[in-house]
Amino acid sequence: MMMERLASSLICEEILGRLDLKTLCTVACVSRSLRFSVDYEVLPFLSSLHLPPSFIPDSSSLFIILSRCTRAGTLTLTTLTLNCQRLRDSCLTRFLGEQLQQLNLSFCSFLSYGFLVSIGENCPFLRVLMLEFAEQGSPDLFRRTLADMLFKCHLLECVCLKIKGTEVDARAFHFIDLFLPSTLKILKLKPTLEVNAIRLARQLGTGQKLSAMEDFSIPNSPTSYRFALQNLSLVLDVISDRLLVSITSSLPLLVELDLEDRPNKEPSPQFDLTNSGLQLLGSCYHLTGLSLIRSRKNYQGSFKQINDMGMFLLSESCKSLQSVKLCGFSKVTDAGFASLLHSCQQLKKFEVRNAILLSDLAFHNLTGVSSSLVEVRLLSCNLITSETVKKLGSSRSLEVLDLCGCKSIANSCLSSISCLRRLTSLNLTGADITDDGLSILGQGSPPISHLCLRGCKRVTDKGISLLLCGAIAETLAALDLGYMPGISDSSIFTIVAVGREITELCIRCCFYVTDSSLQALATKRSFQYGNKQLRQLDLFNCIGLSADAVRLLRKPLFSGLHWVGIGQTRLVIKGGAILTEICNERPWLTVCSDGCEMGCHDGWQFHRSESH
């Protein structure tokens, strides 16, 4: 009897206690004894629960899950991560408590600003808070509820607050600096105004209130700092020199700085970022991560006051950078970007977007540089060709290679990619590759789990067959074949036959995919041993699907599906009552009738109904 108890204890602590929720649920189905162990000896003692973003619970599902994580009627979780796309204040408030130290709530379509008050009242020991709201108007109400929450949660070390919408009022975080706890180390806000960000930086550095007429361009020189802020991330109306003056003079302990602006019009030269502003970053001696992005809003924006000299100054003053992310530097040439690659000897992540002057020359001599790179992302850099990829082919550490929008990438570099022994993610969106190139990639041995071939118009069904006949079929979990006119049912049949690990599949705008493909995808998991179930499927604008195909979304088919996009297909036309029935019988399934990308990551804020 003692041995049996010891064995049970070891199983719970050393085996079951190390599994995630999904695996625990699978184990519980094996036998009654294992279900008893999971329900009464594991779940009530869990300290953290991280539900994947693809799983979108409704109120009843969440109640069932969290009620299992209670002991003596009290929730035991100290960390909770949820996709709240279907949840309202009432179903979440009941689970808030003093034990919570970390709360990550994303896609909060229906949560009101008043939920902040509930957090403040029930979670006084909270240390990490991440909230992603949908726009609701009334910035004054948001400021009041936010101030109330921050005043009561005085131990917060990480605050990440985002408000998404088309007409978000950037004044929502006005005067937030007056209420932030002194324990704060990480702060992320979206969106805010430059003038408010300057005030925030000065307040975080000195703790002194600033008058409205104070000259923001004059740096303060505090002898001590109120906050030990290490990570600052802001989305603003404009990034300027005077903003960097305030940040670098007030927050010298910064380890990561992430700034993105979305100006409505071209900033005037005196209120823009210049070479001098970049040089100021050298005073942040601990800086290892830097992201500077100018996004398009109403026009194609760029930092027109910055050229190669600015990059030279940055590379010389910030040699400890390990991560660099740049977008909108239209006047920087190969020399400027190359200076970063060669000066920052510890560089692991290098991302450049929309660099119209970046070419293969920047990567000409990567000896000793490429060995440290783990992630390389070159997005919409039209002058980048296969020669750059060949230079990266000698890397022993590269795990992520993103060449989205680099249209000159061709078959000639795929043999180099095939030699990357640690590559797990590859994006070839819009590349000029063919079936022969995919054959080369399929013969390689990199453990690629995420592959995007979107918009590769010269690839046909034959190429997909040649790709998946190799070792990649054993590792590939996510595959994007969107906007590929050469893809038909034949490719889907190949995926069904050999893509055992694939759980995410995008075939949006593949016009020659028919009901036969959907039927094959719906049933493949039930008759083939070892296959993983599809979690997400994007069928947007697959005009070859008939209206009757909607029946394939009903039980028991697609038993593991969490998200499916059916926008601009006949399934929506047929939908109506049938889609409502499907959503009712499968409460964990999100049926998106809009044009959202996989998982509604960039469209959830516009969904105002439970069934989308």
Side-chain angles (χ1 to χ4, degrees):
M1 182 66 70
M2 183 67 71
M3 290 298 295
E4 290 180 0
R5 290 180 179 177
L6 179 60
S8 177
S9 176
L10 287 174
I11 290 174
C12 292
E13 292 180 13
E14 299 300 326
I15 300 178
L16 298 181
R18 300 175 184 270
L19 303 179
D20 57 22
L21 182 65
K22 174 186 171 184
T23 308
L24 284 172
C25 292
T26 303
V27 169
C29 297
V30 174
S31 68
R32 289 184 179 181
S33 60
L34 282 174
R35 180 169 184 173
F36 179 87
S37 296
V38 170
D39 285 348
Y40 296 100
E41 297 176 336
V42 179
L43 292 180
F45 294 91
L46 281 182
S47 61
S48 63
L49 179 63
H50 298 275
L51 296 180
S54 61
F55 179 68
I56 310 176
D58 60 4
S59 56
S60 58
S61 300
L62 182 66
F63 179 80
I64 293 173
I65 293 171
L66 294 185
S67 62
R68 300 290 183 90
C69 301
T70 59
R71 190 166 64 248
T74 303
L75 191 69
T76 59
L77 298 174
T78 60
T79 300
L80 181 60
T81 301
L82 289 175
N83 182 323
C84 299
Q85 201 167 325
R86 295 178 179 172
L87 304 176
R88 300 183 184 274
D89 295 15
S90 57
C91 61
L92 278 173
T93 302
R94 73 180 77 173
F95 298 111
L96 299 178
E98 293 186 352
Q99 84 288 343
L100 273 178
Q101 297 182 21
Q102 182 171 341
L103 187 61
N104 304 310
L105 305 179
S106 58
F107 310 107
C108 300
S109 296
F110 296 100
L111 291 189
S112 71
Y113 293 155
F115 183 67
L116 291 168
V117 177
S118 300
I119 293 176
E121 291 175 347
N122 296 285
C123 308
F125 303 111
L126 200 64
R127 295 185 179 276
V128 176
L129 175 64
M130 193 285 284
L131 283 174
E132 193 175 28
F133 281 111
E135 179 187 13
Q136 301 175 23
S138 186
D140 291 335
L141 173 61
F142 177 77
R143 283 195 293 267
R144 289 197 301 271
T145 55
L146 179 60
D148 180 271
M149 185 271 293
L150 292 174
F151 179 76
K152 294 176 180 177
C153 297
H154 58 279
L155 298 178
L156 280 169
E157 298 176 3
C158 173
V159 173
C160 179
L161 300 171
K162 298 180 181 179
I163 305 177
K164 299 193 71 171
T166 54
E167 298 295 335
V168 176
D169 194 321
R171 297 171 298 171
F173 298 110
H174 191 40
F175 290 124
I176 188 177
D177 49 282
L178 302 178
F179 308 102
L180 292 172
S182 58
T183 52
L184 196 65
K185 295 180 180 178
I186 300 174
L187 178 63
K188 301 182 180 183
L189 302 177
K190 173 186 179 181
T192 189
L193 296 171
E194 178 221 23
V195 63
N196 291 338
I198 292 173
R199 184 184 301 276
L200 171 65
R202 299 286 294 278
Q203 176 73 357
L204 291 176
T206 65
Q208 299 174 356
K209 296 181 180 180
L210 304 177
S211 67
M213 300 301 293
E214 184 168 352
D215 185 358
F216 290 129
S217 65
I218 302 175
N220 49 21
S221 300
T223 56
S224 61
Y225 295 91
R226 178 188 172 202
F227 290 78
L229 201 69
Q230 298 176 5
N231 187 317
L232 178 63
S233 178
L234 302 172
V235 175
L236 312 114
D237 54 335
V238 66
I239 300 171
S240 65
D241 281 356
R242 65 178 191 171
L243 173 63
L244 287 191
V245 166
S246 297
I247 290 176
T248 56
S249 61
S250 302
L251 306 171
L253 302 180
L254 276 181
V255 176
E256 295 186 22
L257 178 61
D258 182 348
L259 300 177
E260 177 180 350
D261 69 4
R262 300 171 180 177
N264 286 312
K265 59 183 180 180
E266 186 174 338
S268 58
Q270 63 269 34
F271 296 107
D272 202 356
L273 183 63
T274 70
N275 294 336
S276 299
L278 284 184
Q279 187 177 19
L280 292 171
L281 293 169
S283 61
C284 295
Y285 301 109
H286 304 281
L287 197 65
T288 60
L290 176 64
S291 177
L292 293 173
I293 295 176
R294 175 151 289 173
S295 300
R296 66 176 67 185
K297 191 171 184 180
N298 296 329
Y299 77 106
Q300 179 65 50
S302 65
F303 295 105
K304 294 185 178 180
Q305 307 301 314
I306 294 179
N307 52 31
D308 287 343
M309 180 56 67
M311 287 297 155
F312 295 155
L313 295 172
L314 177 63
S315 61
E316 285 301 310
S317 57
C318 297
K319 293 187 176 183
S320 297
L321 286 175
Q322 298 178 20
S323 174
V324 172
K325 186 176 181 180
L326 303 172
C327 177
F329 291 84
S330 61
K331 292 192 174 182
V332 177
T333 71
D334 294 321
F337 291 117
S339 67
L340 287 171
L341 287 169
H342 291 280
S343 294
C344 304
Q345 296 294 317
Q346 302 177 58
L347 196 62
K348 291 180 173 59
K349 299 180 180 180
F350 184 70
E351 177 174 336
V352 179
R353 304 183 193 174
N354 301 324
I356 60 176
L357 300 180
L358 176 64
S359 74
D360 299 331
L361 290 176
F363 301 87
H364 177 65
N365 185 10
L366 283 180
T367 304
V369 176
S370 61
S371 60
S372 65
L373 289 172
V374 176
E375 293 186 16
V376 174
R377 301 178 187 270
L378 306 174
L379 285 66
S380 299
C381 298
N382 293 330
L383 298 182
I384 293 295
T385 74
S386 297
E387 294 305 311
T388 291
V389 181
K390 292 177 182 178
K391 297 293 184 182
L392 295 169
S394 61
S395 174
R396 297 180 180 178
S397 56
L398 197 63
E399 298 176 6
V400 176
L401 180 59
D402 190 341
L403 301 167
C404 176
C406 296
K407 299 179 181 180
S408 297
I409 299 298
N411 291 343
S412 60
C413 69
L414 292 181
S415 58
S416 297
I417 292 176
S418 299
C419 296
L420 296 170
R421 303 299 183 186
R422 295 189 179 183
L423 191 69
T424 59
S425 179
L426 175 62
N427 190 339
L428 295 173
T429 296
D432 186 31
I433 60 175
T434 67
D435 295 342
D436 291 338
L438 289 189
S439 175
I440 296 172
L441 187 61
Q443 293 171 18
S445 57
I448 297 174
S449 59
H450 290 71
L451 176 63
C452 182
L453 300 173
R454 176 176 292 203
C456 294
K457 297 181 179 180
R458 300 177 65 190
V459 171
T460 69
D461 295 328
K462 178 182 177 182
I464 302 303
S465 178
L466 292 171
L467 172 73
L468 294 179
C469 70
I472 193 173
E474 303 298 324
T475 59
L476 196 59
L479 178 61
D480 190 337
L481 302 178
Y483 302 92
M484 296 174 65
I487 298 301
S488 70
D489 291 338
S490 178
S491 291
I492 307 305
F493 297 156
T494 299
I495 292 170
V496 169
V498 298
R500 297 182 179 86
E501 299 295 315
I502 293 177
T503 59
E504 298 180 13
L505 178 63
C506 173
I507 49 176
R508 58 165 44 206
C509 296
C510 290
F511 303 140
Y512 299 105
V513 169
T514 70
D515 294 5
S516 297
S517 289
L518 199 57
Q519 177 74 46
L521 289 169
T523 58
K524 82 165 203 169
R525 310 302 171 176
S526 61
F527 67 77
Q528 288 186 340
Y529 175 78
N531 276 356
K532 289 189 176 179
Q533 297 176 330
L534 273 179
R535 299 297 183 190
Q536 300 189 80
L537 176 63
D538 190 350
L539 302 170
F540 174 79
N541 203 26
C542 287
I543 59 177
L545 298 174
S546 73
D548 290 333
V550 70
R551 63 183 174 81
L552 296 172
L553 299 179
R554 308 203 69 157
K555 285 184 175 181
L557 304 177
F558 284 119
S559 58
L561 202 61
H562 289 165
W563 185 93
V564 59
I566 60 172
Q568 295 189 24
T569 66
R570 295 187 179 92
L571 279 70
V572 177
I573 299 174
K574 178 77 173 181
I578 297 179
L579 285 177
T580 301
E581 292 177 11
I582 291 172
C583 291
N584 288 336
E585 71 181 14
R586 311 180 92 157
W588 60 87
L589 175 64
T590 296
V591 180
C592 180
S593 300
D594 297 281
C596 300
E597 291 285 353
M598 193 89 75
C600 298
H601 291 297
D602 295 317
W604 61 269
Q605 67 270 24
F606 304 116
H607 297 312
R608 306 311 299 171
S609 63
E610 295 284 350
S611 62
H612 294 189

